[in-house]
Amino acid sequence: MKKTSTRLADGRELIYYDLRDDTVRDAVDRRPLERTVTTSEVRRDPLLGDSVAIASHRQGRTYHPPADECPLCPSQGERLSEIPDSSYDAVVFENRFPSLAGDSGRCEVVCFTSDHNASFADLTEEQARLVLDAWTDRTSELSHLPSVEQVFCFENRGAEIGVTLGHPHGQIYAYPFTTPRTALMLRSLAAHKEATGGENLFDAVLESELAGERVVLEGEHWVAFVPYAAHWPYEVHLYPKRRVPDLLGLDEEARTEFPKVYLELLRRFDRIFGENEPSTPYIAGWHQAPFGQLEEFEGVSRDDFALHLELFTIRRTSGKLKFLAGSESGMNVFINDIRPEAAAQRLREVASS
């Protein structure tokens, strides 16, 4: 992998990740852009104890442009985009309309491929490995920013999810706090460790799932399963078998096997609802240990956390979506329409060729 960092016309950082070490990236952003001004701030809810990002400047962000005006495609002639060069393998750049910025964190866009009509599932194993390396590199770099406490690499896919740009891409949010979902995991981790005299909860869950009926696919270094208490109709968690706190902790064997396992998983997701609905909308995100202090989670260290990816779709059956209504949105109590065991069976049945 070759990494080349440059700047866009408005000062934002852009980084090329190339498969070939001899690739030269010297294209200049020729757009007449003014410096980006954001109004992002983080406010803490005194009752719930969580945080909300206020980012009113995002109302003007690009919204469903036609394919020939896609800002994530490479620049061609006088058609200028966010990527100055005429081609790329993978690229990461600071979001022009970030939810988090400055002292409130940082947001980046990750373009998986220059092919506008592709998806992550269409990548080769070599391309998927390049994206994994980019995620790892950005996690490392962002973790050193003084305003960053946790790094979340994720992909929203599909109009049903709310995606406004059709080009295959994901995002990275670098939060200035530990997110509520991670905090819940850490509290459960601490409570289990105290109650069992030191047992790791992630290890216990993984051992239980490996012995159960909800495993979807398994490699030498990775396992994907539908969790016992899945929130979503089709939800899969992907774990490395050797517990590590973040992407930086993966060894070479796990990195090498990941593309094959993850691409197979995504391709199965695209087959859940049959040939008439081949592009399943989903959210996929890496859960990594916070880089900040964990004093409030007594007895827990970063090494107790287990890196894992969570993948789920909001489609519950063909032509129907799972809406978060009163119980889910109002009280955060999910009601799942599909038994996790049935979801796992379906995902085993649709093994891609």
Side-chain angles (χ1 to χ4, degrees):
M1 180 189 77
K2 181 180 180 181
K3 174 183 175 183
T4 306
S5 180
T6 185
R7 291 282 171 180
L8 297 174
D10 56 6
R12 289 176 294 131
E13 184 179 18
L14 180 142
I15 306 164
Y16 294 99
Y17 292 91
D18 286 297
L19 293 169
R20 291 175 56 94
D21 291 336
D22 60 353
T23 303
V24 177
R25 297 296 184 187
D26 55 8
V28 176
D29 186 3
R30 295 181 285 127
R31 296 173 298 170
L33 298 180
E34 296 182 355
R35 286 256 169 192
T36 301
V37 178
T38 66
T39 57
S40 177
E41 63 174 305
V42 173
R43 298 184 181 182
R44 188 168 180 80
D45 187 317
L47 295 180
L48 298 179
D50 59 8
S51 299
V52 177
I54 310 296
S56 58
H57 63 278
R58 284 174 51 79
Q59 287 285 33
R61 66 187 183 273
T62 308
Y63 187 79
H64 290 298
D68 60 358
E69 296 179 16
C70 175
L72 306 184
C73 287
S75 293
Q76 299 289 339
E78 294 306 309
R79 181 187 170 283
L80 307 178
S81 72
E82 289 279 64
I83 295 89
D85 215 326
S86 59
S87 67
Y88 64 84
D89 291 332
V91 69
V92 176
F93 60 88
E94 289 184 74
N95 198 321
R96 189 177 179 186
F97 304 96
S99 301
L100 307 165
D103 293 339
S104 297
R106 176 160 157 152
C107 292
E108 298 181 339
V109 176
V110 184
C111 296
F112 306 136
T113 171
S114 61
D115 185 352
H116 181 84
N117 297 313
S119 69
F120 201 116
D122 295 324
L123 300 182
T124 65
E125 290 185 18
E126 185 181 34
Q127 289 174 307
R129 169 61 189 265
L130 182 65
V131 175
L132 174 64
D133 290 342
W135 282 331
T136 304
D137 180 70
R138 296 315 301 151
T139 296
S140 176
E141 293 291 326
L142 293 170
S143 70
H144 291 96
L145 296 180
S147 61
V148 172
E149 189 166 313
Q150 187 173 9
V151 178
F152 181 49
C153 307
F154 66 99
E155 179 191 2
N156 298 328
R157 192 254 193 133
E160 299 93 332
I161 297 294
V163 175
T164 58
L165 296 176
H167 196 101
H169 73 288
Q171 300 181 68
I172 301 176
Y173 275 25
Y175 299 100
F177 50 79
T178 296
T179 61
R181 188 174 179 85
T182 303
L184 286 174
M185 294 184 198
L186 291 169
R187 292 189 188 102
S188 296
L189 188 62
H192 185 85
K193 190 173 185 179
E194 181 179 6
T196 60
E199 182 181 68
N200 184 281
L201 179 58
F202 285 110
D203 292 350
V205 167
L206 190 58
E207 181 180 0
S208 175
E209 294 292 358
L210 279 167
E213 58 181 312
R214 289 179 297 275
V215 172
V216 174
L217 59 91
E218 182 179 356
E220 183 179 354
H221 303 283
W222 294 88
V223 60
F225 58 87
V226 177
Y228 170 74
H231 288 59
W232 299 92
Y234 289 95
E235 174 182 341
V236 176
H237 294 188
L238 177 63
Y239 276 72
K241 291 184 177 179
R242 182 179 69 87
R243 173 164 46 89
V244 295
D246 51 42
L247 289 166
L248 283 71
L250 293 174
D251 58 25
E252 182 58 30
E253 289 78 10
R255 292 181 184 280
T256 299
E257 186 182 72
F258 169 78
K260 180 179 181 179
V261 175
Y262 188 49
L263 290 172
E264 170 67 15
L265 187 58
L266 291 181
R267 290 163 186 166
R268 292 192 189 193
F269 251 62
D270 277 345
R271 296 164 68 94
I272 294 174
F273 304 105
E275 295 182 358
N276 293 331
E277 298 182 76
S279 298
T280 301
Y282 64 73
I283 295 176
W286 286 105
H287 291 259
Q288 307 190 78
F291 288 94
Q293 300 299 316
L294 301 180
E295 285 90 349
E296 63 177 295
F297 310 104
E298 188 173 351
V300 171
S301 70
R302 290 193 77 251
D303 289 338
D304 291 318
F305 195 86
L307 166 77
H308 62 285
L309 181 141
E310 296 186 9
L311 168 69
F312 64 88
T313 179
I314 62 170
R315 188 177 288 165
R316 59 185 174 87
T317 190
S318 181
K320 298 179 181 179
L321 301 181
K322 165 66 177 177
F323 292 102
L324 300 188
S327 184
E328 290 92 349
S329 294
M331 295 301 287
N332 200 29
V333 177
F334 276 68
I335 300 169
N336 195 344
D337 302 292
I338 298 177
R339 294 186 74 249
E341 292 75 18
Q345 177 62 34
R346 176 60 180 160
L347 285 163
R348 288 194 295 268
E349 291 173 350
V350 296
S352 64
S353 58

